[in-house]
Amino acid sequence: MNQQHHKLSNVTHLVQGELLGSADFLVQGLASLEQANENQISFVNGQKYLPQAILSKAGVLIITSDLQKELPKTKQYIIVDNPYLAFAQLTHAFEIQGQHSGIEETAQIHSSAIVADSAYIGHYAVIGENCVIGDATRIQSHAKIDRGVEVGKNCFIDSHVTITGCAKLGDRVRVHANTVIGSEGFGFAPYQAKWHRIAQLGSVQIGNDVRIGSNCCIDRGALDDTILSNGVIIDNLVQIAHNVNIGENTAIAANSGIAGSTVIGKNCILAGACGVSGHIKIADNVTLTGMSMVTKSILESGTYSSGTGSFESKQWRKMVIGLRQLADVPLTKLVKRLDHIQTQIESIESTLKMRK
Amino acid sequence: MNQQHHKLSNVTHLVQGELLGSADFLVQGLASLEQANENQISFVNGQKYLPQAILSKAGVLIITSDLQKELPKTKQYIIVDNPYLAFAQLTHAFEIQGQHSGIEETAQIHSSAIVADSAYIGHYAVIGENCVIGDATRIQSHAKIDRGVEVGKNCFIDSHVTITGCAKLGDRVRVHANTVIGSEGFGFAPYQAKWHRIAQLGSVQIGNDVRIGSNCCIDRGALDDTILSNGVIIDNLVQIAHNVNIGENTAIAANSGIAGSTVIGKNCILAGACGVSGHIKIADNVTLTGMSMVTKSILESGTYSSGTGSFESKQWRKMVIGLRQLADVPLTKLVKRLDHIQTQIESIESTLKMRK
Amino acid sequence: MNQQHHKLSNVTHLVQGELLGSADFLVQGLASLEQANENQISFVNGQKYLPQAILSKAGVLIITSDLQKELPKTKQYIIVDNPYLAFAQLTHAFEIQGQHSGIEETAQIHSSAIVADSAYIGHYAVIGENCVIGDATRIQSHAKIDRGVEVGKNCFIDSHVTITGCAKLGDRVRVHANTVIGSEGFGFAPYQAKWHRIAQLGSVQIGNDVRIGSNCCIDRGALDDTILSNGVIIDNLVQIAHNVNIGENTAIAANSGIAGSTVIGKNCILAGACGVSGHIKIADNVTLTGMSMVTKSILESGTYSSGTGSFESKQWRKMVIGLRQLADVPLTKLVKRLDHIQTQIESIESTLKMRK
């Protein structure tokens, strides 16, 4: 009950595909090959899914021209070049969205705030002094848009999001529930064994088409701004510290953290739970695999990894003991000793030969 | 001041124990052996706590029959088979809970939502279209129960929780503060160097007796549903990505993250800060120790671990250098060289003997 | 537009410095050496920033007496002993803060709660039964201060914070957005293959001058209390489990987690994403570098580290294979074999010499 219904001709038009089937067929949802019923549409994401496609009960399959030839003509198809992209596009057609405009009467909007007529402001949302909310932007219930924050057009800000620190968001930005943007960075001056708070005066600049998941923290800068460039996508529970600068279209998966003032390039991919130290630089097109630990700048694009992998625990304990030995027994010295011994043996052997 | 008061006879009845003491004695709270005063009750969780039990000022001790015989008869006791379980049961009797039914007048409940008469809905909670809230369920202040969400009986949903994506929760489910359930999974199709959002159409199914801590994220599925089976317990700040499926009674400690479409078996225990890759399978009865990194399926039950343990930092830096050598110097080759050298030496020695 | 304006004489007075410049000069903000314009003030944090200081357009520089002598006399200076501390102090002067007192009419305050006249309570905040809110404390919108919670003087509690479990906060405590304090600890008694919830009856004690970031979790104790001592500072997304006790002025960076009942000393520094096991003890003055994994007590002050560092992925895979060998090939045994072989060779060589 969680999806819209559409005529097959419309669906085909949306993905600019070619239809092999009945234009009036009513598509009642998108589903995986295994789960789809005869009223639903599914997609074949490459050769290896052909066996599942043959077994699928889906009423319609999105597929390439080549692969379709290997399937029975009795089914309905939408022919496209890139079935996965077509699927991504179609999910939007089948998504049920909430209300699109209007201001709930329980919302608190400061008299100086500018809210577009086409925006939606949910129950108990609070929009502060001098805020700007752009066209067709939807602010869900209980969101807090603090003084001086600006949100562009066609944005989606989910419930319990806090945006403060005079952050500026571009267009088509999506911020999921309970995320905090523009809160104070972790800046303290140590003096006489105490921590002296440095009030954070910078802000946050978020470009267009940025996506931030749930329960994330994007801190405001200390003096200059924290920056997320156009097209950056961020998963849940991610920490972006003050003055971090992330390049275009970089993706950061859940539980990762980037420490202060680090600069990350364009088109990078950080898998889950990566940790990146502060004040370093990551080049463009760098991929970090899950749980990577980066303490120094990475200046060449490529794929980088950390960690030991997983061990059965008894074996792991032996390995950890081995690591302690490894600190004290440099392997290169062992190799040198072996080389030296080899030389000694060869010398002995030649001595023995001479004396034969 | 944070606990209830009960007569000792009632307390004994609750844990189905045998009382050695005064039925009318008023128990004014539960406490640890060290902290308990003469009006409080404590418990002896095994032989090794006997010395502390002897010193304890607790007015009553919960204890096994065997251990009680080693303590003075002048004290009061409740005799049970499993003192730790009895303690767990008693905590509920001494817990002070908030209001149990009624709807605060500031709550916003959509006219199509069905809320049980015995439910409690707190201040500024928002209950959306077609939601169902079961008997005796308590929804705390500021919670957002979005369109189409169903919550079973006797549930507890704490403040600032966001439940969306048409999630369905069973009975006796507890969700702690600021957690997000049913938010959009991290699904994007890469195309022409940009990320194309895949609207998430699946939902979240949560069984009975599930417990989810604070500031967690349980994402809705892409097409099919994300599943937490009956009896699953989850600590704080845990990430459960789209289409993850977690088996009955599995426990996941704080800061852990499970990537998309991974299936975890029954009765598993994941200690804190574990990371599990996407699209893999973990068997039943698997235990992962803290900070484990799992990148491949684990098909046999058992205990698994990762990581280096901790080092004094100078020693750690030497170990890290050793790791870099380890990549280039396979230990098995060193062993083969040693074996070869040993053979050469033996050959030399026998030559020398022959020539003696 | 995010900062206040001040006369240079006032600014100098605030940091107890000596002014070389015009008392009436209007300072329009703080900025970094690179970004500052002629109306702004910046600071020189040591010898190595002199080249940037020479190039800086800042209207005023905060600097030590010694370093000032190396810069042109044409600029304006504030001479202090510790420019970084002076900068920290000045950030407060330039910070724009929200409303400072009064109760928004949409706030829900229980009739039994005591709220100081000089406190500020934001929109849709909920203050429960028997709560106490001290002088000049600011509670931002949507905060939930649950039954029995006490907040001291001059505190700042940001939006969507949940404080429950009868937590007690000292003076000058700052809690950033969407953090949860006093929620239920992760306590369950396993019995007959199920988890039996242990209702948490302890509370949380937070000292003076404590700072807690956004999206953190500080659980209430099981029976006794969870304790954060005076001067503790905590970054974002940090987990503090039940009955943890953290000593004065200890700093914990983002994404770290401390498991139950662990005691951490004074003046410790935990860098980002550290994991500390439960029921252990960390001495005073311990520093953990980023992503440290601590499974045993650390009884001596010093710096400790964990992890493999990062590798180019192909090299990493070879290293991981090496780790598996390391579990089975103890390096100390290899060294013994080498020593033994060396002895054999020396014996052979002396034999050969004798027979010359």
Side-chain angles (χ1 to χ4, degrees):
Chain A
M1 304 304 96
N2 197 13
Q3 299 187 5
Q4 308 275 10
H5 302 168
H6 294 286
K7 275 174 69 178
L8 185 49
S9 53
N10 293 342
V11 166
T12 308
H13 181 72
L14 270 169
V15 299
Q16 297 178 282
E18 179 194 348
L19 174 60
L20 305 182
S22 159
D24 290 336
F25 182 84
L26 194 66
V27 181
Q28 295 186 17
L30 266 167
S32 60
L33 287 169
E34 295 81 359
Q35 300 282 330
N37 65 37
E38 55 191 10
N39 300 312
Q40 290 177 315
I41 193 167
S42 193
F43 68 107
V44 185
N45 192 21
Q47 184 90 30
K48 69 173 176 178
Y49 291 99
L50 278 180
Q52 286 163 261
I54 289 166
L55 294 171
S56 177
K57 292 177 181 155
V60 190
L61 293 176
I62 307 174
I63 195 164
T64 59
S65 172
D66 280 2
L67 290 180
Q68 189 274 325
K69 285 165 191 152
E70 305 190 33
L71 291 178
K73 292 197 172 168
T74 50
K75 284 201 172 174
Q76 300 188 99
Y77 300 95
I78 299 175
I79 308 298
V80 296
D81 288 343
N82 186 334
Y84 191 53
L85 180 67
F87 155 68
Q89 292 166 330
L90 276 191
T91 59
H92 298 256
F94 287 96
E95 185 184 22
I96 289 182
Q97 297 186 332
Q99 199 165 333
H100 276 79
S101 66
I103 297 176
E104 300 288 356
E105 59 183 16
T106 60
Q108 288 288 339
I109 299 177
H110 194 277
S111 57
S112 62
I114 299 170
V115 177
D117 288 345
S118 56
Y120 170 74
I121 311 289
H123 278 298
Y124 304 123
V126 172
I127 314 285
E129 214 175 322
N130 296 319
C131 288
V132 178
I133 310 293
D135 289 335
T137 281
R138 288 172 293 147
I139 309 278
Q140 297 298 98
S141 73
H142 308 97
K144 165 70 170 283
I145 312 296
D146 206 9
R147 175 179 357 100
V149 167
E150 298 179 13
V151 181
K153 300 173 187 175
N154 288 295
C155 294
F156 174 77
I157 310 293
D158 208 349
S159 292
H160 304 118
V161 165
T162 304
I163 311 184
T164 183
C166 297
K168 305 283 178 278
L169 283 66
D171 298 334
R172 298 174 301 283
V173 172
R174 295 177 67 86
V175 181
H176 290 282
N178 295 49
T179 274
V180 179
I181 296 174
S183 194
E184 183 158 300
F186 196 54
F188 291 82
Y191 181 66
Q192 295 183 337
K194 296 203 172 177
W195 299 106
H196 295 261
R197 171 177 170 249
I198 298 170
Q200 306 285 297
L201 305 175
S203 186
V204 179
Q205 292 176 35
I206 294 181
N208 298 322
D209 302 296
V210 169
R211 187 271 196 192
I212 302 170
S214 302
N215 274 324
C216 290
C217 298
I218 318 289
D219 281 348
R220 70 191 291 185
L223 287 172
D224 305 332
D225 295 342
T226 302
I227 295 170
L228 304 187
S229 304
N230 294 339
V232 165
I233 59 173
I234 294 179
D235 199 354
N236 302 330
L237 290 161
V238 168
Q239 153 76 353
I240 306 290
H242 48 184
N243 299 105
V244 165
N245 184 327
I246 300 184
E248 289 189 13
N249 301 316
T250 281
I252 302 180
N255 298 73
S256 291
I258 318 293
S261 300
T262 281
V263 177
I264 297 186
K266 298 177 190 177
N267 306 311
C268 294
I269 296 178
L270 280 68
C274 289
V276 181
S277 292
H279 297 273
I280 65 172
K281 196 172 156 41
I282 309 282
D284 296 345
N285 299 300
V286 165
T287 294
L288 301 179
T289 61
M291 298 181 102
S292 286
M293 163 194 191
V294 181
T295 57
K296 293 174 187 166
S297 290
I298 295 180
L299 301 176
E300 286 191 42
S301 72
T303 301
Y304 298 83
S305 303
S306 302
T308 64
S310 67
F311 288 74
E312 192 282 323
S313 290
K314 273 182 199 161
Q315 200 69 1
W316 174 73
R317 279 190 287 270
K318 291 200 284 179
M319 185 276 286
V320 169
I321 292 167
L323 287 177
R324 292 183 185 277
Q325 296 171 357
L326 194 62
D328 291 321
V329 182
L331 292 178
T332 46
K333 273 199 185 165
L334 286 191
V335 172
K336 273 186 193 159
R337 282 191 69 184
L338 276 169
D339 291 346
H340 178 68
I341 284 169
Q342 196 70 52
T343 311
Q344 286 178 302
I345 286 173
E346 277 156 20
S347 155
I348 289 167
E349 283 177 334
S350 69
T351 304
L352 285 176
K353 263 186 199 162
M354 286 192 305
R355 296 194 186 170
K356 217 185 268 180
Chain B
M1 302 303 98
N2 196 13
Q3 300 187 6
Q4 306 276 8
H5 301 169
H6 295 285
K7 275 173 68 178
L8 185 50
S9 54
N10 294 342
V11 166
T12 307
H13 181 72
L14 269 169
V15 299
Q16 297 178 283
E18 180 194 346
L19 174 59
L20 305 181
S22 158
D24 289 335
F25 182 84
L26 195 67
V27 182
Q28 294 186 18
L30 265 166
S32 59
L33 288 168
E34 293 82 359
Q35 300 283 330
N37 64 37
E38 54 191 12
N39 300 312
Q40 291 177 313
I41 192 167
S42 193
F43 68 106
V44 184
N45 192 22
Q47 184 89 31
K48 69 174 177 178
Y49 291 98
L50 279 179
Q52 288 163 260
I54 289 165
L55 294 172
S56 178
K57 293 178 181 155
V60 191
L61 292 177
I62 306 174
I63 195 166
T64 59
S65 173
D66 280 3
L67 290 180
Q68 189 275 324
K69 286 166 191 152
E70 306 190 33
L71 291 178
K73 291 196 175 171
T74 50
K75 282 201 173 173
Q76 301 189 98
Y77 299 96
I78 299 175
I79 308 298
V80 296
D81 288 343
N82 186 334
Y84 191 53
L85 180 67
F87 155 67
Q89 292 166 331
L90 276 191
T91 58
H92 297 257
F94 288 96
E95 186 184 21
I96 289 182
Q97 297 186 333
Q99 198 165 335
H100 276 79
S101 67
I103 297 176
E104 300 288 357
E105 59 182 14
T106 59
Q108 287 288 338
I109 299 177
H110 194 275
S111 57
S112 63
I114 299 170
V115 176
D117 288 346
S118 55
Y120 169 73
I121 311 290
H123 278 299
Y124 304 124
V126 172
I127 315 285
E129 215 175 322
N130 296 318
C131 288
V132 178
I133 309 293
D135 288 337
T137 281
R138 287 172 293 148
I139 309 278
Q140 299 297 100
S141 73
H142 308 97
K144 165 68 171 285
I145 313 295
D146 206 8
R147 178 178 356 101
V149 167
E150 298 179 13
V151 180
K153 300 173 186 174
N154 288 296
C155 294
F156 174 76
I157 311 294
D158 208 350
S159 293
H160 303 118
V161 165
T162 303
I163 311 185
T164 183
C166 297
K168 305 284 177 278
L169 283 67
D171 298 334
R172 297 172 302 281
V173 172
R174 294 177 67 87
V175 182
H176 290 283
N178 295 49
T179 274
V180 179
I181 296 174
S183 194
E184 184 157 299
F186 196 53
F188 292 83
Y191 181 66
Q192 294 183 337
K194 296 203 172 175
W195 298 105
H196 296 261
R197 171 178 170 249
I198 298 170
Q200 306 285 296
L201 304 175
S203 186
V204 178
Q205 292 175 36
I206 294 180
N208 297 323
D209 301 296
V210 169
R211 187 271 197 193
I212 302 170
S214 302
N215 274 324
C216 291
C217 297
I218 319 290
D219 281 349
R220 70 190 293 185
L223 288 173
D224 306 331
D225 295 343
T226 302
I227 295 171
L228 304 187
S229 304
N230 294 339
V232 165
I233 58 172
I234 294 179
D235 198 355
N236 301 331
L237 290 162
V238 169
Q239 153 76 351
I240 307 290
H242 48 183
N243 300 104
V244 165
N245 183 326
I246 300 184
E248 290 188 11
N249 301 316
T250 281
I252 302 180
N255 298 73
S256 291
I258 318 292
S261 300
T262 280
V263 177
I264 296 186
K266 298 176 190 176
N267 306 311
C268 294
I269 296 177
L270 280 69
C274 289
V276 181
S277 290
H279 298 273
I280 65 173
K281 197 172 154 43
I282 309 282
D284 296 346
N285 299 301
V286 165
T287 295
L288 301 180
T289 61
M291 299 182 102
S292 286
M293 163 193 192
V294 181
T295 57
K296 294 174 186 166
S297 290
I298 295 180
L299 302 175
E300 287 191 41
S301 73
T303 302
Y304 298 84
S305 303
S306 302
T308 65
S310 67
F311 288 74
E312 193 281 323
S313 290
K314 272 183 201 162
Q315 198 71 359
W316 173 74
R317 278 190 286 272
K318 291 199 286 179
M319 186 276 287
V320 168
I321 291 167
L323 287 178
R324 293 185 183 276
Q325 297 171 355
L326 195 61
D328 292 321
V329 182
L331 292 179
T332 46
K333 274 199 185 164
L334 286 191
V335 172
K336 273 185 196 161
R337 283 190 68 184
L338 276 169
D339 291 345
H340 179 69
I341 285 170
Q342 194 72 49
T343 312
Q344 286 177 305
I345 286 173
E346 277 155 22
S347 155
I348 290 167
E349 283 176 334
S350 70
T351 304
L352 285 176
K353 264 186 199 163
M354 285 192 306
R355 296 193 188 171
K356 217 185 266 181
Chain C
M1 302 305 96
N2 197 14
Q3 300 187 6
Q4 307 276 10
H5 301 169
H6 295 286
K7 274 174 68 179
L8 185 49
S9 53
N10 293 341
V11 166
T12 307
H13 181 73
L14 269 169
V15 300
Q16 298 179 282
E18 180 194 348
L19 174 59
L20 306 182
S22 158
D24 290 334
F25 182 83
L26 194 66
V27 182
Q28 294 185 19
L30 265 166
S32 59
L33 287 168
E34 293 83 357
Q35 300 283 331
N37 64 39
E38 55 192 10
N39 300 311
Q40 292 177 313
I41 192 168
S42 193
F43 67 106
V44 185
N45 192 20
Q47 183 90 31
K48 69 173 175 177
Y49 291 98
L50 278 180
Q52 287 163 260
I54 289 166
L55 294 172
S56 179
K57 293 177 179 156
V60 190
L61 294 176
I62 307 174
I63 195 165
T64 59
S65 173
D66 279 3
L67 289 180
Q68 190 275 325
K69 285 166 192 153
E70 305 190 32
L71 291 178
K73 292 197 174 170
T74 50
K75 283 201 174 174
Q76 301 188 99
Y77 300 95
I78 300 175
I79 307 299
V80 295
D81 289 342
N82 186 335
Y84 191 52
L85 180 68
F87 156 66
Q89 293 166 331
L90 276 192
T91 59
H92 298 256
F94 288 96
E95 186 184 21
I96 290 182
Q97 297 186 334
Q99 199 165 335
H100 276 78
S101 66
I103 297 177
E104 301 288 355
E105 59 182 16
T106 60
Q108 287 289 339
I109 299 177
H110 194 276
S111 58
S112 62
I114 300 170
V115 177
D117 288 345
S118 56
Y120 169 74
I121 312 289
H123 278 297
Y124 304 123
V126 172
I127 314 285
E129 215 176 321
N130 296 320
C131 288
V132 178
I133 309 294
D135 288 336
T137 281
R138 287 172 292 147
I139 310 278
Q140 298 298 97
S141 73
H142 308 98
K144 165 70 172 284
I145 311 296
D146 206 9
R147 177 178 357 101
V149 167
E150 298 179 12
V151 181
K153 300 173 186 173
N154 289 297
C155 294
F156 173 77
I157 311 294
D158 208 348
S159 293
H160 304 118
V161 165
T162 303
I163 310 184
T164 182
C166 297
K168 306 284 177 278
L169 282 67
D171 298 334
R172 298 173 301 282
V173 172
R174 295 177 66 88
V175 182
H176 290 282
N178 295 50
T179 274
V180 179
I181 296 174
S183 194
E184 184 157 298
F186 196 53
F188 292 83
Y191 181 66
Q192 295 183 337
K194 296 203 171 177
W195 298 106
H196 296 261
R197 171 178 170 249
I198 299 169
Q200 306 286 297
L201 305 175
S203 187
V204 178
Q205 293 175 35
I206 293 181
N208 298 323
D209 302 298
V210 169
R211 187 271 195 192
I212 302 170
S214 302
N215 274 323
C216 290
C217 297
I218 318 290
D219 281 349
R220 70 191 290 184
L223 289 172
D224 306 332
D225 295 343
T226 303
I227 295 170
L228 303 187
S229 305
N230 294 339
V232 165
I233 59 173
I234 294 179
D235 199 355
N236 302 330
L237 290 161
V238 168
Q239 154 75 353
I240 306 290
H242 48 184
N243 299 105
V244 164
N245 184 327
I246 300 184
E248 289 187 12
N249 301 317
T250 281
I252 302 180
N255 298 72
S256 291
I258 318 293
S261 300
T262 281
V263 177
I264 296 186
K266 298 177 190 176
N267 306 312
C268 294
I269 296 178
L270 281 69
C274 288
V276 181
S277 291
H279 298 272
I280 66 173
K281 197 172 156 42
I282 309 282
D284 296 346
N285 299 300
V286 165
T287 295
L288 301 180
T289 61
M291 298 180 103
S292 286
M293 163 195 193
V294 181
T295 58
K296 294 173 187 167
S297 290
I298 295 179
L299 302 176
E300 286 190 44
S301 72
T303 302
Y304 298 84
S305 302
S306 301
T308 64
S310 68
F311 288 74
E312 192 282 323
S313 291
K314 273 183 201 161
Q315 199 69 1
W316 174 73
R317 279 189 287 271
K318 292 199 286 180
M319 186 275 286
V320 169
I321 291 167
L323 287 177
R324 293 184 184 277
Q325 297 171 356
L326 194 62
D328 292 319
V329 183
L331 292 178
T332 46
K333 274 199 186 165
L334 287 191
V335 172
K336 275 185 193 160
R337 282 191 68 184
L338 276 170
D339 291 346
H340 178 69
I341 284 170
Q342 194 70 51
T343 311
Q344 286 178 305
I345 286 173
E346 278 157 18
S347 156
I348 289 167
E349 283 177 333
S350 69
T351 304
L352 285 176
K353 264 186 198 163
M354 285 192 306
R355 296 193 189 170
K356 218 184 262 180

